[in-house]
Amino acid sequence: MHRLVQEHATTSVKMVFLEDKNLDMRRYNAPTLCTEVAAIFVGDNGEPPANRDICVYPVGDTCQSISPLNQCCDPMTYPLLFPRSEYSWNTGMEHVEERRTAKRTRVTQLQYYAYRLSQRNGFSILHNSGKLFQQYIVDAYVKTEGSRLHFLRQNQKDLRVELYRGLLDALECRAHNENIRTGKLIILPSSFQGSPRHMQQNYQDAMAMVLNFGKPDLFLTFICNPSWFEILNSMEGVQRPEDRPDIIVRVFNMKLKELLEDICKHGIFGTVLAYIYVNEFQKRGLPHAHILLTLDSESKIRTKDDIDKFVSAELPDPCTDLRLFQIGTKCIVHGPCGTININSPCMRDGQCCKSFPKQFKDDTEENVNGYPIYRRRATEPVQVGKYSIDNGWVVPYNPWLLKKFNAHINVEVCASVKSVKYLYKYVYKRHDAASVKIQKEGALDHDEILSFVAGRYVSAPEAIWRLNEFNLSHKSHTVVRLAVPLPQQQPIAYQDGQEAQAIERAALRKTTLTSWFELNKNDPSAHNVY
């Protein structure tokens, strides 16, 4: 590499993250308060490229390109992680089961990297390589997802979809135009987790649950705490939590399951009829989950006394519970921002986008534009770090959950049905993205037309979460989608050149809706379809 730099003229460039107010700042926000390695790439629907230009310069020879699927790609890209030049995954890798049959099974790319990234006894160069470890994780996931999407594209290039009526019209016109080509390519199906179709269908499923069970009663945001003792006790030497995203996501996944068990099985808020949750990995270096809960009629939060019973927006009393006070001042204090900290990430045009600090209130107001205004009594400020904090800076929380989990758990009461659409669209807002500009180092760019790239942003925690196949989202109930097409408007998937056979099959095929009614024709309650 040193010889290449000397022999070829190079230009130093840097990547600049931009915040465009015309974009959705929930997805295009800039990275804040974290030092992490991430991948930003451009593609259809935010998908990674299937092929990358990986060039090898043999000494005394010309440039040669190798495939990212080559088993020598990883050891050549990361010589420090593979000092013995061990081969990485290849398309013919197999696993021999330790049984009498010695059955051989194909090892997928995802399975290989999940195995490679697992912690084992003894010293591991990979897990002690800091940011290089993060880069390896991100690179492994990008290659895995790129291969999966490439497979979908290559195996569906001849599979087309068209409406029944459109296919009939196309066949009728074929006599006039033999070169007619019907339908459109299927690019990214809803079965691919995190795809736009997948998130849109999840949102529609959530709306069906709202029709059946009613509006949600509570909205929780649960953020991983890197200071959990389970994480700190797993650090080796001078490692910091951000150096081990594999441990962070495993601990957070266990904590999330425990939180849901406390809520749904132990009923700390009452009996839960339905719930949904979505995990996110915004540019903060830590995973977090959004949870929406719907309670039964006896557990509904109806009065301000019910709100005060479960949600507090005041600092804990250090004289009553010192432990809760110490956790609260670290985990549920917003900012601070405004005039005392104008560089806070929440600042927009000199104002806090979350409207902090909040006004003091002696009593809770039950419903103001879909949300309650919580009780925040005026008290003497307390010193938190270099700032003086009062109840106006406190994020609403549940004291029992805060003390048990020692993490930021924002608990909001949904006081009106007005909040439903916003909350569910917020939860299912698709993958995180970045608006970036490539700029020459040391040069002042005066161009009025800038090159903006709306790129998908994949951090190391998200990469390791997906490689371990943890749930990105989950809901308490299964929602079956019943197709309700207009006459001759049902979609038909077919191979190119087999349009006539597809029409014959479609004429005999029943929709999921008609099949449902036939199966449950003697059950009146089953006709209550949403």
Side-chain angles (χ1 to χ4, degrees), residues 20-174:
D20 187 350
K21 296 178 182 179
N22 296 320
L23 299 174
D24 185 355
M25 296 310 298
R26 298 172 303 179
R27 296 177 56 214
Y28 287 89
N29 57 319
T32 57
L33 303 177
C34 65
T35 56
E36 64 180 7
V37 176
I40 301 175
F41 43 80
V42 182
D44 296 332
N45 293 322
E47 63 186 72
N51 295 310
R52 289 183 285 171
D53 292 329
I54 302 177
C55 300
V56 179
Y57 291 84
V59 178
D61 201 348
T62 57
C63 169
Q64 298 179 11
S65 297
I66 64 172
S67 168
L69 302 180
N70 191 299
Q71 60 185 357
C72 297
C73 179
D74 280 355
M76 296 185 73
T77 307
Y78 304 96
L80 295 179
L81 302 183
F82 298 88
R84 298 179 181 86
S85 301
E86 305 96 321
Y87 287 148
S88 62
W89 179 85
N90 63 78
T91 54
M93 182 173 287
E94 293 181 337
H95 167 67
V96 180
E97 296 184 6
E98 296 180 359
R99 296 178 180 176
R100 293 181 180 179
T101 58
K103 182 180 178 181
R104 292 179 176 270
T105 56
R106 184 66 60 87
V107 176
T108 66
Q109 197 173 18
L110 184 142
Q111 289 172 339
Y112 168 79
Y113 282 117
Y115 173 84
R116 184 78 176 80
L117 293 167
S118 297
Q119 178 71 51
R120 294 175 179 82
N121 294 330
F123 177 78
S124 170
I125 295 177
L126 179 64
H127 294 87
N128 286 271
S129 54
K131 289 188 177 180
L132 191 61
F133 179 49
Q134 296 184 42
Q135 180 180 332
Y136 179 77
I137 293 173
V138 173
D139 193 19
Y141 173 69
V142 170
K143 285 194 291 187
T144 301
E145 184 176 302
S147 298
R148 292 172 61 194
L149 294 172
H150 181 66
F151 173 84
L152 290 173
R153 185 180 291 106
Q154 291 299 111
N155 287 271
Q156 292 186 355
K157 64 180 181 180
D158 295 327
L159 185 62
R160 311 182 78 79
V161 62
E162 183 57 273
L163 295 180
Y164 184 90
R165 181 67 257 173
L167 195 55
L168 282 176
D169 293 341
L171 289 179
E172 292 171 358
C173 295
R174 177 155 290 185

Side-chain angles (χ1 to χ4, degrees), residues 5 37 46 76 84 101 105 154 165-167 184 191 202 243 271 353 384 386-387 399 421 432 441 463 473 476 500:
V5 173
V37 176
M76 296 185 73
R84 298 179 181 86
T101 58
T105 56
Q154 291 299 111
R165 181 67 257 173
L167 195 55
K184 57 185 178 181
S191 58
N202 278 343
D243 296 330
T271 303
C353 62
V384 179
K386 60 180 181 179
Y387 300 107
K421 183 178 179 181
D432 208 21
E441 191 83 72
S473 61
S476 57

Side-chain angles (χ1 to χ4, degrees), residues 288-448:
H288 62 283
H290 295 302
I291 307 170
L292 282 163
L293 305 172
T294 304
L295 306 177
D296 71 348
S297 59
E298 295 183 0
S299 305
K300 291 288 185 185
I301 300 176
R302 294 185 173 91
T303 66
K304 57 184 179 181
D305 290 335
D306 294 335
I307 296 174
D308 293 337
K309 177 182 176 182
F310 292 113
V311 182
S312 174
E314 298 179 325
L315 287 169
D317 187 354
C319 299
T320 304
D321 195 330
L322 180 60
R323 168 70 175 161
L324 183 62
F325 174 79
Q326 292 172 340
I327 296 174
T329 52
K330 293 180 180 178
C331 298
I332 47 93
V333 173
H334 175 82
C337 58
T339 56
I340 61 176
N341 185 13
I342 60 174
N343 296 320
S344 179
C346 62
M347 295 296 289
R348 302 284 185 275
D349 298 326
Q351 299 291 328
C352 174
C353 62
K354 307 296 183 182
S355 301
F356 279 93
K358 305 289 186 179
Q359 294 182 351
F360 294 124
K361 289 284 182 180
D362 291 331
D363 295 295
T364 299
E365 296 183 21
E366 298 175 37
N367 185 2
V368 179
N369 296 324
Y371 302 93
I373 296 182
Y374 304 100
R375 180 178 63 191
R376 298 174 186 270
R377 290 166 292 194
T379 58
E380 290 294 325
V382 298
Q383 195 70 22
V384 179
K386 60 180 181 179
Y387 300 107
S388 295
I389 301 300
D390 54 34
N391 288 335
W393 298 99
V394 176
V395 175
Y397 66 97
N398 176 269
W400 189 87
L401 287 178
L402 179 66
K403 188 173 182 179
K404 177 177 180 180
F405 288 93
N406 185 22
H408 176 98
I409 306 180
N410 178 207
V411 181
E412 298 278 358
V413 175
C414 308
S416 168
V417 74
K418 292 181 180 179
S419 60
V420 169
K421 183 178 179 181
Y422 167 78
L423 286 177
Y424 282 100
K425 279 192 172 292
Y426 177 84
V427 168
Y428 292 115
K429 59 180 177 289
R430 294 173 55 187
H431 61 261
D432 208 21
S435 179
V436 300
K437 178 184 70 172
I438 305 300
Q439 179 176 299
K440 291 183 179 180
E441 191 83 72
L444 184 61
D445 192 354
H446 291 286
D447 292 348
E448 294 183 359

